[in-house]
Amino acid sequence: MKKIRSRRLTLKMRLSLLLFVIAIPLTGMVLEILKMIGDYSDSYNGIMSNLKIANEYNITFKEDMEYSMYRVMIGLIDASEFENGDILEGSTEYATVLKNPNNMINSARYAFGSTIERIPGTDSDIKIRGILSCLDTLETAVNRMIENSARPGTYDENVSIWENDIKGLCSMMQEYITQYTYYELAHMEELQKQMDSQVRKNIELFVALLIGILILGFGLSTTITKSVTIPINSLQKTAERLGHGDLEARAEMYSLEEINVLARTFNQMSNEIAELMEKTRQEQKNLREAELKLLQAQINPHFLYNTLDSIVWMAEGGNSRQVVEMTTDLSDFFRTVLSGGNDYITIAEEECHIRSYLKIQKIRYEDILDYTIDIEPAIENQFILKMILQPIVENALYHGIKNKRGGGKISIQGYAVDNGILLKVEDNGTGMTDEALAELRKKLQGQENHLNSGKNSFGMYNVAQRLRMYYGSRADITITSSKGIGTCVSIRLGQLEDTDYKNL
């Protein structure tokens, strides 16, 4: 039963268990640390906010209040103007602003009574209540002085109010604010001590918990690692045996289902590899035969003989310029055929190759052959598989143009398309029937082995086969044709991969 349960425990489940054992305690530790830091931060920010408010009034309130009421006392301003807010004395840039005393009192009452956070019963709370009491008394004194200022003969009374009430209450408020600041700072110091004590306790707890997690996690990770590495090492050794030619090598099954999937797939691969090797040998043999026939088709003895005969004929006729031109074209043609043994050449080189071929044929079939080559300059330096156009052009000449009365024209185009290049060879020759076109398409798709078929379609078939071999799904060849109208062959080439450049 234990063995069965072990087999049901997959690698994903084991890793999840390891994550559960490690992640949950560590997450709890992190959350506790964050909570502790957050609580301290909130308390610290609250104290700092309270101190900021208290310091603002400790600095400016007493001075602004005493100055405004002093101006009222000596009768230099009309106190009724305070109903509109602050009073501006003077009209220059050095004018003095007299603060509205009632607005100052209301602002202070709101700040100390509502804005500042406090804990009832604490020393700080007592000082805040003292400040609020002073504000209430101060408001009574201010209102009485403002009322007296509107009546004559109240100067002495206002002096007494300013000296005894207003100045005294402002000084008392300032003293209360100073004491409040002291208690808040003391509270902050106490908070810091509590934080230090709590941090020390938590560190001891966290270290002990971390040691336990590490021990448990190490044990679980070692077990899981062995349950993975032992089967993988065994699979690696089996793969090495297979790589050294031991086709009988088979992987063992273990407790992990994921490893068993790999083992079953490996064993299936081992069973199929012999067939694949045999198939590969056969394909290589076919490839060599195809390349040999391609070379024979491209270096057509009749083409070479006819070209040489034309050169001799032109030489005897005294056409030295045409002799030089045809000889140069023939040299360029075979230079591209050889290409130093490379499989890939630039589009410019392919264009030069096909132009040399057509110039030679133009001299031989001057009355029936016309051609145009239009290659987009932007793609001329890109590499493609060599000699993919010449067999198609040759097919267009011999099976399209040559059999048409009055001759015809071959048009070659090349331009960039999405993620690749498009090459087109189009003629206005005799064209093909629907049946012949369908047969040719089947050949080009490689549905049958046509290596030993006639020469009529071998060149195009060989191009299609080479495109599949070198480009795979990144290349495609399509043909459209109408009897009596002409034929168009389009070759779409994708971008070369890094491995393709080894033959450049």
Side-chain angles (χ1 to χ4, degrees):
M1 182 64 69
K2 184 177 181 180
K3 185 177 182 180
I4 293 176
R5 290 178 179 174
S6 177
R7 287 186 178 275
R8 291 179 179 176
L9 198 61
T10 64
L11 177 59
K12 182 178 180 180
M13 295 170 61
R14 297 182 186 191
L15 292 177
S16 298
L17 177 60
L18 177 61
L19 181 63
F20 181 85
V21 169
I22 295 177
I24 290 183
L26 289 178
T27 301
M29 291 169 54
V30 172
L31 292 177
E32 181 61 25
I33 292 174
L34 292 177
K35 181 179 179 301
M36 181 175 61
I37 295 174
D39 292 341
Y40 176 78
S41 177
D42 292 341
S43 300
Y44 176 84
N45 291 335
I47 293 174
M48 292 303 297
S49 177
N50 294 343
L51 289 175
K52 179 180 179 182
I53 295 172
N55 285 333
E56 288 178 356
Y57 285 94
N58 191 33
I59 295 172
T60 61
F61 184 88
K62 182 177 184 296
E63 180 180 347
D64 291 340
M65 178 62 70
E66 290 179 354
Y67 182 75
S68 294
M69 297 313 298
Y70 174 78
R71 305 295 282 179
V72 172
M73 178 190 70
I74 62 178
L76 291 181
I77 62 171
D78 184 5
S80 63
E81 294 181 15
F82 280 127
E83 294 177 358
N84 298 323
D86 296 338
I87 299 174
L88 182 65
E89 277 193 316
S91 57
T92 66
E93 61 182 277
Y94 302 105
T96 304
V97 177
L98 297 181
K99 298 288 186 177
N100 186 310
N102 287 317
N103 289 347
M104 293 173 61
I105 293 171
N106 291 333
S107 176
R109 183 182 290 119
Y110 176 80
F112 287 100
S114 301
T115 304
I116 290 182
E117 298 180 0
R118 50 197 173 120
I119 301 174
T122 61
D123 293 331
S124 297
D125 180 59
I126 294 173
K127 300 306 174 184
I128 292 294
R129 282 187 289 172
I131 294 171
L132 294 175
S133 178
C134 288
L135 288 172
D136 293 337
T137 306
L138 181 62
E139 184 178 28
T140 301
V142 166
N143 291 333
R144 192 170 49 159
M145 180 180 285
I146 291 175
E147 291 174 359
N148 289 341
S149 65
R151 299 194 307 266
T154 60
Y155 175 79
D156 292 336
E157 183 180 356
N158 284 344
V159 170
S160 176
I161 293 173
W162 186 77
E163 286 284 348
N164 299 323
D165 295 337
I166 293 176
K167 291 182 66 177
L169 289 170
C170 287
S171 298
M172 187 179 298
M173 272 190 61
Q174 193 173 47
E175 180 64 21
Y176 276 133
I177 292 174
T178 302
Q179 293 176 4
Y180 169 80
T181 302
Y182 169 80
Y183 288 124
E184 283 295 287
L185 291 174
H187 183 204
M188 183 181 293
E189 183 179 0
E190 181 182 356
L191 184 66
Q192 180 66 43
K193 292 180 180 179
Q194 293 177 356
M195 179 69 177
D196 293 340
S197 176
Q198 188 176 2
V199 167
R200 285 194 296 269
K201 292 180 181 179
N202 287 338
I203 287 177
E204 295 174 358
L205 177 62
F206 291 162
V207 168
L209 183 59
L210 183 60
I211 293 174
I213 293 173
L214 291 177
I215 294 174
L216 182 58
F218 180 80
L220 284 175
S221 62
T222 301
T223 302
I224 294 174
T225 300
K226 289 182 178 179
S227 69
V228 175
T229 56
I230 292 176
I232 288 180
N233 289 335
S234 175
L235 187 60
Q236 178 187 359
K237 293 178 181 178
T238 306
E240 290 175 351
R241 288 171 52 200
L242 182 65
H244 291 149
D246 184 6
L247 299 181
E248 300 298 323
R250 295 295 182 271
E252 299 181 11
M253 298 294 175
Y254 287 88
S255 61
L256 283 176
E257 182 59 23
E258 292 86 350
I259 299 297
N260 290 340
V261 171
L262 293 175
R264 285 193 293 269
T265 304
F266 180 88
N267 292 338
Q268 182 180 359
M269 179 190 67
S270 299
N271 294 332
E272 296 175 354
I273 198 165
E275 299 177 7
L276 292 175
M277 291 179 64
E278 181 62 28
K279 184 178 180 180
T280 301
R281 284 194 293 267
Q282 186 62 37
E283 289 178 350
Q284 290 176 344
K285 180 180 178 181
N286 293 340
L287 175 60
R288 287 193 296 269
E289 294 176 357
E291 290 177 339
L292 177 60
K293 288 190 176 183
L294 174 63
L295 186 61
Q296 292 172 346
Q298 290 170 337
I299 311 177
N300 192 321
H302 294 288
F303 168 71
L304 179 60
Y305 297 155
N306 292 335
T307 303
L308 293 176
D309 286 342
S310 298
I311 293 175
V312 171
W313 174 76
M314 287 185 294
E316 291 177 348
N319 297 325
S320 58
R321 184 183 61 80
Q322 288 187 326
V323 169
V324 172
E325 184 178 349
M326 182 174 262
T327 304
T328 302
D329 292 334
L330 185 63
S331 174
D332 292 339
F333 176 84
F334 283 106
R335 184 179 294 110
T336 305
V337 169
L338 298 176
S339 301
N342 294 330
D343 294 326
Y344 297 93
I345 60 176
T346 64
I347 293 179
E349 292 173 320
E350 181 75 5
E351 178 186 359
C352 179
H353 174 248
I354 198 63
R355 191 180 296 277
S356 300
Y357 174 79
L358 285 172
K359 287 172 67 177
I360 294 172
Q361 297 291 21
K362 175 68 175 175
I363 296 175
R364 294 183 56 206
Y365 301 103
E366 182 175 1
D367 296 334
I368 67 171
L369 175 63
D370 191 14
Y371 68 89
T372 60
I373 300 176
D374 183 15
I375 302 295
E376 190 177 78
I379 66 172
E380 288 185 346
N381 293 326
Q382 296 193 34
F383 285 88
I384 60 171
L385 185 65
K386 71 177 181 180
M387 290 183 291
I388 59 177
L389 289 179
Q390 188 271 337
I392 298 175
V393 172
E394 182 178 356
N395 192 75
L397 174 61
Y398 285 103
H399 304 293
I401 303 300
K402 191 176 179 181
N403 296 329
K404 179 182 180 180
R405 291 185 178 182
K409 181 178 180 180
I410 297 175
S411 175
I412 302 169
Q413 295 178 291
Y415 49 88
V417 294
D418 293 341
N419 299 323
I421 299 167
L422 183 64
L423 302 174
K424 296 176 67 174
V425 178
E426 188 172 4
D427 67 76
N428 59 354
T430 58
M432 289 181 283
T433 62
D434 292 341
E435 293 77 10
L437 180 60
E439 175 103 10
L440 180 58
R441 285 173 175 171
K442 288 177 61 178
K443 291 180 182 180
L444 298 185
Q445 291 173 0
Q447 297 178 2
E448 301 177 8
N449 186 3
H450 295 280
L451 291 175
N452 296 320
S453 63
K455 291 172 56 180
N456 290 349
S457 62
F458 176 76
M460 291 184 62
Y461 169 76
N462 214 300
V463 170
Q465 186 184 41
R466 290 172 70 228
L467 288 176
R468 283 194 298 270
M469 186 173 302
Y470 285 89
Y471 283 87
S473 61
R474 293 175 289 122
D476 183 36
I477 180 169
T478 58
I479 301 178
T480 58
S481 183
S482 297
K483 187 65 177 177
I485 297 178
T487 303
C488 179
V489 180
S490 300
I491 300 176
R492 183 184 292 269
L493 302 176
Q495 297 294 333
L496 292 177
E497 297 179 350
D498 294 340
T499 54
D500 295 328
Y501 286 90
K502 62 183 180 181
N503 293 321
L504 297 183

